C-alpha cells in the first residue's frame, strides 16, 4: 500500500541544524520530494531527489535517501526563524504520477 | 507570470449547497490534481486528470466532482453529499509521466471552504 510517515513536531534553536525524517513504502517510487508550507499558504517545492541518488545538496538543504530502508531525511543547516513552517515529504507514485504525502512535520525555530 | 491560480481564497457554504472551486494554470501542464488538507493530516488526493477530457478518482472522491474541458482549467465541485467539507483545498499541476522526465508538481495557494 501507499503510506508516508513523518514525526509531527520538531523544535530547534536558531543557528542549529534541523533534521526532518520520513519513511515511505512504495519501493517503485522514482522521485521523492520535500515541500514547505507556511500558515494559510500553498505548498512550496523545496527540493526533490531521484531514487537512484543517495544525497542531494542545495545551499542550506541536504537530502539523504536510504532506499534499502525507505528512509528520507531533510537537513536544514543554520536554521533561521523564517524556516518555521510545516514540511511535507512526498513520494511520486508511479501509477498516474500522483503524489502521496506524509502528515507533515511542524518545525518551530526558537531565537 | 506563470502559475496556478485558485479562487476564491475563502468560501462559505450552507448545508445542502453545492460549491465550485476554481483552478486555472498557465504552465501548459497536462496533469492537474485536487488535494484536501485537514489540520494535523497530510494531503489527501481527491481527483486527478492526466489529460483533457479524462480524470480519475483519488483516495477520497466521494462527495466531489470535477471536469476537465480545457487544459488550463480543473474546477472542483463540492456537493451536498460531502458530509464534512470544511477543509483547505489545494490544486496542483505537473507534466504527466512516470517520473523519468524529472518533472515536479506545483501547487496553488489554496482555498478555504467552511460550512456554516
Amino acid at each position: 500500500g501507499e503510506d508516508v510517515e513523518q514525526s509531527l513536531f520538531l523544535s530547534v534553536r536558531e543557528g542549529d541544524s534541523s533534521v526532518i525524517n520520513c519513511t515511505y513504502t512504495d519501493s517503485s517510487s522514482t522521485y521523492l520530494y520535500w515541500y514547505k508550507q507556511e500558515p494559510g499558504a500553498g505548498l512550496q517545492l523545496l527540493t526533490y531527489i531521484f531514487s537512484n541518488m543517495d544525497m542531494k545538496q542545495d545551499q542550506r538543504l541536504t537530502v539523504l535517501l536510504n532506499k534499502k530502508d525507505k528512509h528520507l531525511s531533510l537537513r536544514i543547516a543554520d536554521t533561521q526563524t523564517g524556516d518555521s513552517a510545516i514540511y511535507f515529504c512526498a513520494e511520486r507514485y508511479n501509477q498516474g504520477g500522483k503524489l502521496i504525502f506524509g502528515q507533515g512535520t511542524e518545525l518551530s525555530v526558537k531565537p | 507570470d506563470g502559475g496556478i491560480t485558485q479562487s476564491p481564497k475563502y468560501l462559505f457554504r450552507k448545508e445542502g449547497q453545492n460549491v465550485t472551486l476554481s483552478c486555472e494554470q498557465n504552465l501548459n501542464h497536462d496533469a492537474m490534481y485536487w488535494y484536501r488538507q485537514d489540520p494535523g493530516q497530510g494531503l489527501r488526493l481527491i481527483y486527478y486528470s492526466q489529460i483533457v477530457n479524462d480524470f480519475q478518482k483519488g483516495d477520497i472522491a466521494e462527495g466531489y466532482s470535477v471536469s476537465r474541458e480545457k487544459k488550463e482549467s480543473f474546477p472542483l465541485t463540492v456537493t451536498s453529499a460531502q458530509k464534512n467539507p470544511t477543509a483547505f483545498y489545494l490544486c496542483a499541476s505537473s507534466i504527466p509521466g512516470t517520473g523519468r522526465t524529472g518533472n515536479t508538481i506545483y501547487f496553488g495557494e489554496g482555498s478555504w471552504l467552511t460550512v456554516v
Side-chain angles (χ1 to χ4, degrees), chain A residues 2 8 30-31 33 35 37 40-43 45 48 50 86 88 92 94-104, chain B residues 9 33 35 37 41-43 45 48 50 59 88 90 94-95 97-100 102-105 107-109 112:
Chain A
E2 313 155 2
L8 295 182
T30 51
Y31 283 90
Y33 301 81
Y35 284 86
Q37 185 180 36
L43 272 66
L45 177 68
Y48 64 91
F50 189 47
I86 300 176
F88 289 94
R92 184 153 191 154
N94 254 343
Q95 287 191 8
K98 62 183 181 179
L99 288 184
I100 307 299
F101 285 86
Q103 309 96 309
Chain B
K9 178 71 175 177
Y33 311 81
Y35 286 87
Q37 185 178 23
Q41 297 191 39
L43 280 70
L45 183 65
Y48 63 104
Q50 297 280 68
D59 301 316
F88 189 49
L90 285 157
S94 76
I95 305 168
T98 60
R100 285 179 179 271
N103 55 67
T104 54
I105 295 183
F107 283 82
E109 286 299 302
W112 288 96

Side-chain angles (χ1 to χ4, degrees), chain A:
Chain A
E2 313 155 2
D3 198 14
V4 178
E5 293 194 357
Q6 303 175 236
S7 54
L8 295 182
F9 300 101
L10 176 66
S11 180
V12 301
R13 292 226 171 260
E14 192 173 18
D16 288 349
S17 291
S18 308
V19 179
I20 303 171
N21 294 302
C22 169
T23 57
Y24 62 97
T25 56
D26 184 5
S27 58
S28 66
S29 294
T30 51
Y31 283 90
L32 295 125
Y33 301 81
W34 283 103
Y35 284 86
K36 175 183 180 182
Q37 185 180 36
E38 296 183 356
L43 272 66
Q44 172 196 352
L45 177 68
L46 286 178
T47 187
Y48 64 91
I49 187 166
F50 189 47
S51 59
N52 69 354
M53 297 169 65
D54 297 325
M55 185 182 87
K56 181 178 180 181
Q57 187 152 3
D58 184 0
Q59 299 183 339
R60 292 191 297 124
L61 305 178
T62 303
V63 179
L64 295 178
L65 175 61
N66 181 330
K67 205 174 175 189
K68 174 176 168 288
D69 295 337
K70 299 190 186 71
H71 182 265
L72 182 74
S73 68
L74 174 70
R75 179 177 180 269
I76 305 173
D78 187 24
T79 313
Q80 303 297 308
T81 54
D83 294 323
S84 293
I86 300 176
Y87 290 81
F88 289 94
C89 162
E91 61 172 336
R92 184 153 191 154
Y93 193 53
N94 254 343
Q95 287 191 8
K98 62 183 181 179
L99 288 184
I100 307 299
F101 285 86
Q103 309 96 309
T105 299
E106 183 175 348
L107 174 65
S108 173
V109 182
K110 301 187 185 317

Side-chain angles (χ1 to χ4, degrees), chain B residues 4-9 11 19-25 32-34 72-78 89-92 108-111:
Chain B
I4 302 170
T5 302
Q6 290 187 237
S7 63
K9 178 71 175 177
L11 185 61
V19 293
T20 298
L21 306 179
S22 168
C23 179
E24 303 277 330
Q25 54 98 0
M32 296 186 74
Y33 311 81
W34 273 106
E72 59 270 21
S73 179
F74 191 41
L76 174 74
T77 297
V78 185
Y89 290 86
L90 285 157
C91 178
E109 286 299 302
S111 293

